[in-house]
Amino acid sequence: VSPRATIGRPEWVSTVGVGARHRPVRDAAAIRHHYDVGNEFYQLWLDARQVYSCAYFHHADVSLDAAQWAKLDLVCRKLRLLPGERLLDVGCGWGALIHHAVENYGVTAVGITLSPAQAVAARQRIRQAGMDDRCHVELLDYRDVGALGAFDKIASVGMVEHVGSAQLQAYFDALFRVLRPGGLLLNHGIVSLHGARPASAAARLRRRMWRSGAFIDRYIFPDGELVTLGESTMHAEAAGFEVRDVEGLRPHYTLTLRQWLARLDARRDEAIKLVGAERFRAWRLYLAGSAQAFDSGWLGVAQILASRSATDGGSALPLTRHDLYCQP
Ligand SMILES: C[S@@+](CC[C@H](N)C(=O)[O-])C[C@H]1O[C@@H](n2cnc3c(N)ncnc32)[C@H](O)[C@@H]1O
């Protein structure tokens, strides 16, 4: 998609060539529609590491850079990463998590993304940091992770939103197969809180925001689909995972989105030069509307920590969660 192209529902959505919703070819086209808008555009309003998922705020007034660092580190600590372990990051974006994990936890890491623009930028950063021998990025669909071998730990942060209800079982099955027995998966994603409740008239109206063909689907995330926390855990368990911890981070996404919006507004002129006024306004509306959706409790975001038990039932988790939240 050319950054200056008129925005709208991409033509391929209704063409036969890319197939039905969530077929691999169509998923790849949907991802390019959103992420290949241009690295420079995202650089304007994301944090310095370009993390494109909910941050973790120790206080509401913490900077976005610090809150994203805290989120990356929380993910690594929840996974109990150890030197020499092999980490897979599913939907690695611009590579911030693999970079953090290799630098601070001594793991080797592979990130996968469907966005060519992200892969190019992430590989360049890895080269510049001299980490080529310890991590790399593949342009690969999650359904093909079997080609990468086995992993001790798996992270998936802000990616499951692209999977869709119908493919959720295939997603958890694919991750389970490449996780070594005793290993851990940290799945961090937006969940539909409203979708879990019986629908009132008001709720039905608000559901249209994410409905197929509605604003977000049409202009921002073609084929994005939010599932409930219950659906996610159900499919994870059906794949063979044992759900060990669940943490809801909803207020953190409101804070993240407000910072993204303020930063985009502060770079308004540059953003319009890069992507045009129409797309700028669409992105503003998406960020502001999403902040409101999290703030009002319509959407949530949850981290699910799940283990694949070893044959003796063991896993990489300690008895308590003391290590996560108490500083020595
Ligand atoms: C919102 S971004 C999150 C990026 C990163 N995890 C972060 O927190 O900054 C979603 C990522 O998922 C990737 N993705 C979406 N669908 C995918 C698929 N079918 N297979 C592999 N990656 C996919 C996108 O390319 C993108 O890198």
Side-chain angles (χ1 to χ4, degrees), residues 7 41 209-210 214-216 219-220 257 260-261 264-265 277-293:
I7 65 163
F41 174 64
M209 183 93 170
W210 275 90
F215 173 73
I216 299 249
Y219 298 106
I220 309 291
L257 282 153
W260 284 345
L261 181 61
L264 178 61
D265 278 344
E278 235 184 298
R279 197 187 288 272
F280 169 77
R281 282 200 305 274
W283 243 257
R284 265 205 99 250
L285 184 57
Y286 142 63
L287 295 176
S290 301
Q292 171 61 17

Side-chain angles (χ1 to χ4, degrees), residues 87-275:
L87 170 71
L88 170 66
D89 184 13
V90 185
C92 66
W94 288 274
L97 179 63
I98 53 174
H99 195 289
H100 186 88
V102 168
E103 188 168 63
N104 298 288
Y105 290 84
V107 298
T108 60
V110 182
I112 63 166
T113 173
L114 278 187
S115 158
Q118 285 183 337
V120 168
R123 286 172 186 152
Q124 196 178 347
R125 282 184 188 172
I126 289 170
R127 250 194 324 277
Q128 278 165 359
M131 289 180 175
D132 316 52
D133 55 335
R134 284 159 293 159
C135 64
H136 66 277
V137 169
E138 300 276 348
L139 202 56
L140 196 75
D141 189 283
Y142 69 85
R143 284 158 280 215
D144 300 323
V145 283
L148 300 174
F151 293 88
D152 301 293
K153 307 284 168 64
I154 302 177
S156 171
V157 183
M159 181 272 163
V160 70
E161 296 85 340
H162 296 287
V163 170
S165 195
Q167 294 296 321
L168 208 52
Q169 193 58 60
Y171 165 77
F172 282 112
D173 286 345
L175 302 193
F176 187 82
R177 280 195 295 270
V178 292
L179 185 62
R180 290 200 177 109
L184 294 171
L185 162 71
L186 190 287
N187 191 76
H188 166 131
I190 299 174
V191 291
S192 169
L193 297 178
H194 72 90
R197 300 173 191 138
S200 65
R204 278 200 300 276
L205 200 68
R206 281 186 294 176
R207 273 178 203 182
R208 291 188 186 176
M209 183 93 170
W210 275 90
R211 188 199 60 192
S212 171
F215 173 73
I216 299 249
D217 183 65
R218 189 176 182 89
Y219 298 106
I220 309 291
F221 276 117
D223 295 350
E225 217 180 297
L226 301 181
V227 299
T228 65
L229 178 59
E231 263 182 276
S232 267
T233 53
M234 182 182 78
H235 289 295
E237 287 180 332
F241 286 107
E242 180 185 357
V243 174
R244 306 294 296 265
D245 294 327
V246 176
E247 185 174 19
L249 298 174
R250 182 170 65 82
H252 295 268
Y253 224 153
T254 310
L255 293 170
T256 306
L257 282 153
R258 286 186 180 148
Q259 290 222 25
W260 284 345
L261 181 61
R263 294 162 70 95
L264 178 61
D265 278 344
R267 310 292 294 271
R268 180 180 182 280
D269 293 347
E270 292 153 272
I272 290 177
K273 244 188 227 151
L274 283 170
V275 300

Side-chain angles (χ1 to χ4, degrees), residues 296-312:
S296 64
W298 186 57
L299 294 181
V301 56
Q303 291 189 334
I304 300 170
L305 182 69
S307 61
R308 173 177 176 166
S309 300
T311 39
D312 64 357

